[in-house]
Amino acid sequence: MNVHEYQAKELMAQFGVPVPRGGLAQTPEEAVDVARELSSDVFVVKAQIHAGGRGKGGGVKVCRNLDEVKAAAADILGMHLVTHQTGPEGKLVHKVWVEEGTDIARELYVAVVLDRGAERMAVMASPSGGMDIEKVAEETPELIFFSRMEPGQPLWDFQCRQLLFGSSLDAGQVRQGTKMLQALVTMAMAKDATLVEINPLAVTGEGNLIALDGKINFDDSALRRNPDISELKDPTETDPLELEATELGLNYIRLDGNVGTMVNGAGLAMATMDVVNMAGARAANFLDVGGGANEEMIGKGFEIILNDPNVQAILINIFGGILRCDVLAGGVVAAAKKIDLKVPLVVRLEGTNVAEGRKILEESGLAFEVAASMSEAAAKVASVLGGQA
Amino acid sequence: MSILVNKDTRVVVQGLTGKEGMFHAEQMIAYGTNVVAGVTPGKGGQSALGVPVFNTVAEAVDKTGANVSLVFVPAAFAADSACEAADAGVDLVVVISEHIPVMDMIRAKAFLNARGVKMVGPNCPGIITPGECKIGIQPGYIHKPGTVGLVSRSGTLTYEVVHQITSAGLGQSTCIGIGGDPIIGLNFVQLLELFRDDPGTEAVCLIGEIGGDAEEQAAAVVAAGYPKPVFGFVAGLTAPPGKRMGHAGAIISGSKGRAQDKLAAMEAAGITVVRALGEFGATVAQALK
């Protein structure tokens, strides 16, 4: 789960990381109120969406007075902000964060990350802050400093010293930075964050460190034990169909094609999307109804898929394992009858009791296209779509 | 022949008396697996499915000689259960549970490594040596004893491939679902090494998906010289970046973890890559003729 910059900064501040003073606004008037309260010479108005690269897209503005704050907030609120992470349609901005300006001498990068390969958390730093860190890693790998933590052990001071002296900080700043990195690690452990990133981390004119941005990814599997984090979820950041699917207990991701897919199991669901595309059509979604799909889940799956107006055909691909195909076929038939299906449906069943399952589909009186294999299923989908695909 | 588990394997099921545990343990016993013990704290002294239940894994191992544990407990307790099994001295822990927090898995993995105990999973269908023993939730009947080794990050996708291989007239030596999480036990590389040394395995199939670099690592092992033919598939060619595709570990981050890069690495290493999933079984059968 992702959170907004302002939420990340508030959480970091709770753990002792210095961040600029600021406040949230949903209207230009509120932005002015926040700025007045801050009583600073310079303000920064920042769009709050779940995407990086907001500055380049016009979502971050530096202001010298309250009128400029009002104008900046009016520009940014309600805009469809396009960045390299949003896709061409951009993201609608509902909130801005207004903070005091910072006198920036230098910009660094620090992060706490999950190192999948090493199976542990690691800490990173770079003197090249304020840039896309993947680009820094590619072009100047010598400017990325990296230190792995031992599972169950603290982030030792020496590890911080290596990273921070490497990033050309002086001894006093290294002491500040050590406290900051250790606070970030404590926060990551306490709240099950698998990525904590400050980019940029500013060195001020006075030589102090302060977090100018904040990004945190939380482990979805640990949200149950972090109810305070669950509450930070912003439903406007998620596709409404995806939200609805989550409520129904389905694993659904909306895509831009016209073939709705419904599959049991995540890997098979991805492979089914791929096969559909290979046959010349495009999948409208990823939908995993669970390894043990049943009539109820299939019914819910239909509901979600058909809420997408782009769907012109549906492909159901079920591998009946311990759940038998005849039971699954019964589920498909019952669910399809209930919803009065108006688009062509291709069903591919395989696995336990497959003959009985296919017979149930064929004798249902419904206009199913039944396919025997993955390749045949995809070809049938492409053919029912005719030239439209 | 096989790797890791065979007809002599003695299984203890942690969470045997739960609904899922009972259902799948019954299927495992019907398949011929030696399920020798169950563990449910507080239910020691009872029995289920004719199997004695103990309060701790240590007691179960002591009394029954169990050497592989199957973890069937809710995610919040699964890491603890895996550590308990490792501490009790089993050789292998198979974790089926899904949605285990990453931080728990990091600590559990370090605990298991320190004791030299192997793990399969979590968030996986388990491990099966066809005709000998099934430890997990796989549909047993789609498998057939044979010489193809199979390793996969996914559940039903594994069944699809196994079914194709069996339908094409071949059988499997051992099939392992390594799980869809970011932190897992045995990985492609370790299993390639075990299959290399198994005289009963003639060829190996790797079923990957987007996220991480497990497929690239496997490709490097094969590129360095691997004595048996290797076949590969990667799911998620059309997956959008930045979205978790069902599995916690299946996510393209920035430019990392993309299916096309994994397929390219596999191809460059000399792995026979199958792009159309429907043709996997036939491709393997054709090559091994």
Side-chain angles (χ1 to χ4, degrees), chain A residues 149-173:
Chain A
M149 295 178 55
E150 288 299 312
Q153 301 233 1
L155 175 67
W156 294 101
D157 290 2
F158 84 88
Q159 297 179 286
C160 303
R161 289 197 299 272
Q162 281 176 353
L163 298 182
L164 299 170
F165 278 117
S167 302
S168 310
L169 294 181
D170 68 29
Q173 290 159 355

Side-chain angles (χ1 to χ4, degrees), chain A residues 116 119 134 192-193 219 221 225 242 251 253 264-265 267-268 273-274 277-278 286 322 348 350-352 374, chain B residues 23 99 101-104 109 137 141 154 156 160 163 184 236-238 243-246 249 254-255 275 277:
Chain A
R116 274 174 83 148
E119 301 173 339
E134 276 203 27
D192 288 283
D219 179 1
S221 297
R225 67 185 180 200
E242 290 181 17
N251 217 329
I253 292 166
N264 64 333
L268 192 58
M273 284 161 39
D274 295 348
N277 282 49
M278 242 175 261
F286 165 93
I322 285 173
R348 185 268 179 154
E350 191 52 87
T352 320
M374 292 275 290
Chain B
F23 178 80
H99 303 304
V102 169
M103 295 299 175
D104 290 6
K109 190 74 195 293
I137 60 175
Y141 86 98
S154 173
T156 47
E160 168 78 35
H163 180 79
I184 56 167
L237 266 174
T238 54
K243 292 271 191 181
R244 247 167 243 289
M245 305 303 281
S255 58
R275 280 167 197 271
L277 178 61

Side-chain angles (χ1 to χ4, degrees), chain B residues 59-251:
Chain B
E59 202 185 346
V61 167
D62 185 46
K63 300 272 169 61
T64 67
N67 58 355
V68 171
S69 169
L70 175 64
V71 175
F72 245 127
V73 307
F77 316 111
D80 176 66
S81 292
C83 292
E84 182 186 3
D87 198 56
V90 300
D91 303 322
L92 176 71
V93 185
V94 181
V95 186
I96 305 298
S97 320
E98 190 181 358
H99 303 304
I100 301 177
V102 169
M103 295 299 175
D104 290 6
M105 223 46 242
I106 289 177
R107 294 182 195 113
K109 190 74 195 293
F111 190 96
L112 266 68
N113 285 345
R115 281 162 180 73
V117 175
K118 298 185 182 80
M119 177 169 69
V120 167
N123 186 10
C124 80
I127 176 168
I128 178 169
T129 291
E132 299 194 26
C133 88
K134 166 172 112 85
I135 305 175
I137 60 175
Q138 314 91 331
Y141 86 98
I142 59 171
H143 302 79
K144 189 173 102 176
T147 60
V148 178
L150 192 140
V151 192
S152 169
R153 287 173 65 188
S154 173
T156 47
L157 180 54
T158 316
Y159 310 158
E160 168 78 35
V161 172
V162 167
H163 180 79
Q164 285 185 26
I165 291 173
T166 300
S167 303
L170 297 172
Q172 304 85 34
S173 53
T174 301
C175 303
I176 306 107
I178 59 175
D181 275 4
I183 310 277
I184 56 167
L186 291 171
N187 57 29
F188 282 144
V189 169
Q190 290 162 308
L191 288 162
L192 273 172
E193 282 161 4
L194 290 175
F195 276 128
R196 169 167 48 205
D197 300 335
D198 173 35
T201 298
E202 271 185 82
V204 184
C205 302
L206 303 176
I207 312 300
E209 64 185 24
I210 56 163
D213 65 353
E215 293 77 9
E216 287 86 341
Q217 304 255 1
V221 169
V222 175
Y226 196 80
K228 300 174 182 182
V230 180
F231 302 86
F233 175 82
V234 177
L237 266 174
T238 54
K243 292 271 191 181
R244 247 167 243 289
M245 305 303 281
H247 292 149
I251 182 166

Side-chain angles (χ1 to χ4, degrees), chain A residues 257-259 272-283 312 374-375 377-389, chain B residues 238:
Chain A
N258 55 1
V259 179
T272 303
M273 284 161 39
D274 295 348
V275 168
V276 166
N277 282 49
M278 242 175 261
R282 284 182 67 76
Q312 290 168 350
M374 292 275 290
S375 322
K380 283 200 165 167
V381 166
S383 91
V384 297
L385 283 174
Q388 310 162 36
Chain B
T238 54

Side-chain angles (χ1 to χ4, degrees), chain A residues 296-317:
Chain A
E296 194 198 347
M297 294 305 265
I298 290 170
K300 287 175 175 175
F302 271 128
E303 226 175 279
I304 288 291
I305 290 179
L306 291 169
N307 274 338
D308 178 351
N310 296 332
V311 168
Q312 290 168 350
I314 297 179
L315 168 59
I316 298 186
N317 185 17

Side-chain angles (χ1 to χ4, degrees), chain A residues 4 41 44 48 123 130 137 176 267 273 300 309 338 382:
Chain A
H4 289 295
D41 299 335
V44 189
Q48 297 299 295
V123 183
Q176 281 185 37
M273 284 161 39
K300 287 175 175 175
K338 246 183 242 167

Side-chain angles (χ1 to χ4, degrees), chain A residues 66-87:
Chain A
L66 298 184
D67 287 340
E68 284 184 27
V69 168
K70 191 171 184 177
D75 282 351
I76 295 172
L77 285 165
M79 80 185 285
H80 284 269
L81 182 52
V82 179
T83 83
H84 67 289
Q85 290 181 356
T86 60

